Amino acid sequence: MPKKYHIETKKAAPRLPKTGKFGVVDWREDCARCHNCVKKACVYDRYRQEMQYIKSLDEFSSMFFECMGCFSCVQKCTKGLLALAVNPEYERMGNGYFTPDIILTTWNQAETAGIPVSGAGYRGKFTGTGFDSMWTDMSEIVRPTRDGIHGREYISTSVDIGRKPKLLSFENNKLTAALPTMADLPIPIIIDMFPEEYHFPNLIPMLLAVAVKTGTMIIIDWEHNNLLGTYKEKYLSNIIFYLSKDAPLPLTEILKKLRLIEIADSDKSEQRIQEIKSVNPDLVVMVRVELDSYGEQRAVELASSPVIEAIHIVSDINGNQTGVEKPKFIKDMTRYIHTSLVKSGIRDEVTIIAGGGMALAEHMAKEIICGADLVTINIPLLIALECRLCKSCRDGYTCPAKIEGINAEYGIRRMTNLIAVWHDQLIEVMGAMGMREARRLRGETGRALFFEDIEEETFGRLFGKRIGV
């Protein structure tokens, strides 16, 4: 059995008061001062913590909102003085897709490096848009050996990036076909570039350090390579430089040390790949395709070229198609690209990398099921640093999360914790599905349920196919 992949984690306390969801309103003027006050019996000890917190309160806007919402004190108070309230600041977080609940979950994972568990069970909707219209098949969870992170059965999360041969040729029991070079990663995650509006130059060295600690890679715009400092030469095997359409090639000595490089899609993509290969034939080249109105078809066209090794399809941060009135979601676009390549008989030859809309670990697993080999992430790592996606920095105001001034040790630890938790959750999902390696999970839609398919199968004959909203 190969050595088990493991990421070292350590708890990282938040720098700022956490914007929690619930707080308790206490009408103390009518309090009877009961000797067995329900506050003393709080199973989470939140009232004592609140008193300590108030003593060190610096500003009124950072009140204590750490109530767990169990309603025990509200129900048991003999005078009915306590009431649960939702924090208005909490409801203002996020952008609609990255909801306050997702942001708070990400904060907790980055802090504790622990898989989130809801003791009261799932309280949300059973279906919705995007990834919420898809469920994974957990039928294998009853098997005693399928225990995920506990280690009685090895589950591999490693993936390969590069073009694979369609056929293998043998002569006298010896392989005669030349095998192309591929890059392997222990987890199906690559750290992507941040959108311009969320670009913080001080984070780039930290993100590279996270990539090194987790064994993965980071995509960095070649124009920003000076921000890496001394890290650039030492960790080139963890860096994927991105070249825009007009960007010059990196120096020859750098190209020869890289494992992967990414280029912007253009009508000269094949010519640019050949130019790169002339310097380093073993360098795997990824083509970045924006998922606009032509993105899906363009990805299918590129895959049919024998020169193309890997295609990086990218939506906006919310997983939506760009530049169209009624955008598709990345899950559906990936399924289209995957099934088109399967029908053409070339799916196994090219690597598909999907980026955008990955807000939770379950989204990574679902996107791979839809046909991607691996995913890229960026915004969840920013949220791990206590970002609220409040848009203040984009509007020219001071960042309330103070991202520009974070300590490197803190930043690296929080982002490493998040990737480690995502990896653990992927193993848990794969174990429950009976899958032993991430490569086999790709395109395994038979292990998933899609709301659209179930609805059409159940009601389609009665009401016809749903018209797109």
Side-chain angles (χ1 to χ4, degrees):
M1 182 181 291
K3 183 180 178 182
K4 188 174 181 180
Y5 172 72
H6 178 67
I7 302 175
E8 293 292 335
T9 61
K10 187 177 180 181
K11 288 187 177 182
R15 300 167 295 123
L16 308 170
K18 191 181 296 183
T19 308
K21 183 174 185 177
F22 296 117
V24 173
V25 178
D26 186 354
W27 303 97
R28 296 192 178 187
E29 57 270 22
D30 294 328
C31 180
R33 301 293 190 271
C34 302
H35 71 280
N36 58 341
C37 180
V38 292
K39 298 179 183 179
K40 299 177 182 178
C42 177
V43 294
Y44 297 104
D45 204 21
R46 288 302 192 236
Y47 287 98
R48 184 188 60 81
Q49 296 170 14
E50 181 181 20
M51 292 304 298
Q52 294 296 324
Y53 179 84
I54 291 174
K55 290 179 181 179
S56 57
L57 188 64
D58 294 326
E59 50 183 311
F60 179 75
S61 61
S62 56
M63 292 297 291
F64 188 85
F65 282 93
E66 288 293 316
C67 173
M68 298 299 290
C70 69
F71 281 92
S72 176
C73 61
V74 176
Q75 293 174 335
K76 294 180 181 179
C77 179
T78 56
K79 299 284 287 183
L81 305 179
L82 305 178
L84 202 65
V86 177
N87 185 357
E89 288 296 323
Y90 178 84
E91 294 182 310
R92 282 194 282 267
M93 293 195 306
N95 63 2
Y97 180 78
F98 285 88
T99 63
D101 287 346
I102 288 178
I103 292 175
L104 184 59
T105 296
T106 303
W107 287 348
N108 291 335
Q109 291 178 98
E111 177 183 352
T112 65
I115 295 177
V117 177
S118 177
Y122 177 67
R123 304 175 189 175
K125 298 181 294 184
F126 284 95
T127 186
T129 59
F131 287 117
D132 289 337
S133 67
M134 176 182 176
W135 306 277
T136 52
D137 178 5
M138 302 292 190
S139 58
E140 293 290 329
I141 201 169
V142 297
R143 293 188 58 185
T145 57
R146 306 283 187 188
D147 59 353
I149 60 175
H150 304 293
R152 287 182 291 180
E153 179 172 309
Y154 183 77
I155 297 176
S156 171
T157 58
S158 61
V159 291
D160 303 312
I161 305 174
R163 193 166 188 94
K164 305 166 187 67
K166 188 172 184 178
L167 298 171
L168 295 178
S169 302
F170 293 86
E171 187 175 331
N172 297 325
N173 294 326
K174 291 185 179 180
L175 182 66
T176 57
L179 296 179
T181 303
M182 290 189 292
D184 62 296
L185 295 178
I187 50 174
I189 299 174
I190 291 176
I191 301 173
D192 198 5
M193 299 180 292
F194 286 82
E196 187 61 35
E197 59 268 30
Y198 295 109
H199 177 68
F200 294 91
N202 63 309
L203 294 185
I204 291 182
M206 299 181 208
L207 290 164
L208 176 56
V210 172
V212 173
K213 287 193 68 172
T214 57
T216 187
M217 305 184 77
I218 176 175
I219 301 174
I220 298 174
D221 194 322
W222 173 246
E223 295 180 358
H224 298 149
N225 75 89
N226 59 311
L227 298 175
L228 293 170
T230 57
Y231 288 102
K232 182 170 66 177
E233 300 296 331
K234 188 175 181 181
Y235 299 116
L236 283 176
S237 61
N238 295 96
I239 297 174
I240 304 171
F241 283 121
Y242 167 75
L243 305 178
S244 59
K245 295 179 182 180
D246 302 321
L249 292 182
L251 299 175
T252 300
E253 54 266 30
I254 291 179
L255 280 177
K256 289 185 176 181
K257 294 178 182 178
L258 293 173
R259 291 197 296 159
L260 284 166
I261 194 168
E262 181 171 84
I263 63 172
D265 179 38
S266 69
D267 54 358
K268 297 181 180 179
S269 293
E270 295 185 15
Q271 179 181 337
R272 196 156 173 80
I273 291 173
Q274 291 172 349
E275 184 181 357
I276 294 170
K277 291 284 188 178
S278 66
V279 179
N280 183 359
D282 294 330
L283 183 57
V284 178
V285 183
M286 301 159 45
V287 181
R288 190 182 187 96
V289 177
E290 300 294 333
L291 288 175
D292 52 20
S293 58
Y294 183 57
E296 292 174 280
Q297 192 60 41
R298 178 57 177 165
V300 174
E301 290 176 4
L302 285 171
S304 62
S305 170
V307 177
I308 304 300
E309 299 169 298
I311 302 171
H312 184 192
I313 54 174
V314 183
S315 65
D316 67 12
I317 63 172
N318 297 331
N320 293 322
Q321 191 178 20
T322 59
V324 296
E325 185 178 348
K326 296 180 179 179
K328 299 179 184 177
F329 190 68
I330 189 167
K331 155 181 86 67
D332 305 306
M333 292 185 281
T334 304
R335 286 188 75 186
Y336 172 81
I337 295 169
H338 173 77
T339 53
S340 297
L341 299 185
V342 170
K343 292 175 182 177
S344 302
I346 58 174
R347 178 62 188 93
D348 289 331
E349 298 178 40
V350 66
T351 302
I352 301 295
I353 305 157
M358 308 302 151
L360 295 169
E362 67 181 67
H363 297 168
M364 168 179 59
K366 290 178 178 179
E367 180 63 17
I368 294 174
I369 290 173
C370 287
D373 290 278
L374 65 159
V375 304
T376 57
I377 64 171
N378 45 29
I379 298 301
L381 296 174
L382 189 63
I383 295 174
L385 303 178
E386 300 178 73
C387 174
R388 308 170 190 175
L389 295 186
C390 62
K391 302 181 183 179
S392 293
C393 56
R394 293 168 58 182
D395 294 336
Y397 298 102
T398 303
C399 174
K402 301 179 176 61
I403 300 293
E404 304 93 335
I406 66 171
N407 176 272
E409 181 183 357
Y410 158 87
I412 294 169
R413 185 180 300 173
R414 297 269 298 197
M415 291 187 285
T416 300
N417 284 352
L418 184 66
I419 291 179
V421 175
W422 278 36
H423 173 252
D424 286 346
Q425 290 179 79
L426 177 62
I427 290 178
E428 287 287 300
V429 170
M430 290 172 60
M433 295 175 67
M435 307 296 292
R436 294 190 62 177
E437 58 176 338
R439 298 181 186 93
R440 288 182 56 202
L441 186 64
R442 185 204 72 191
E444 192 63 60
T445 53
R447 291 285 185 165
L449 302 172
F450 296 87
F451 171 75
E452 299 88 353
D453 298 341
I454 296 174
E455 183 186 50
E456 185 171 351
E457 180 182 340
T458 306
F459 300 108
R461 288 176 293 177
L462 297 174
F463 303 106
K465 190 174 182 179
R466 177 187 288 267
I467 300 174
V469 179

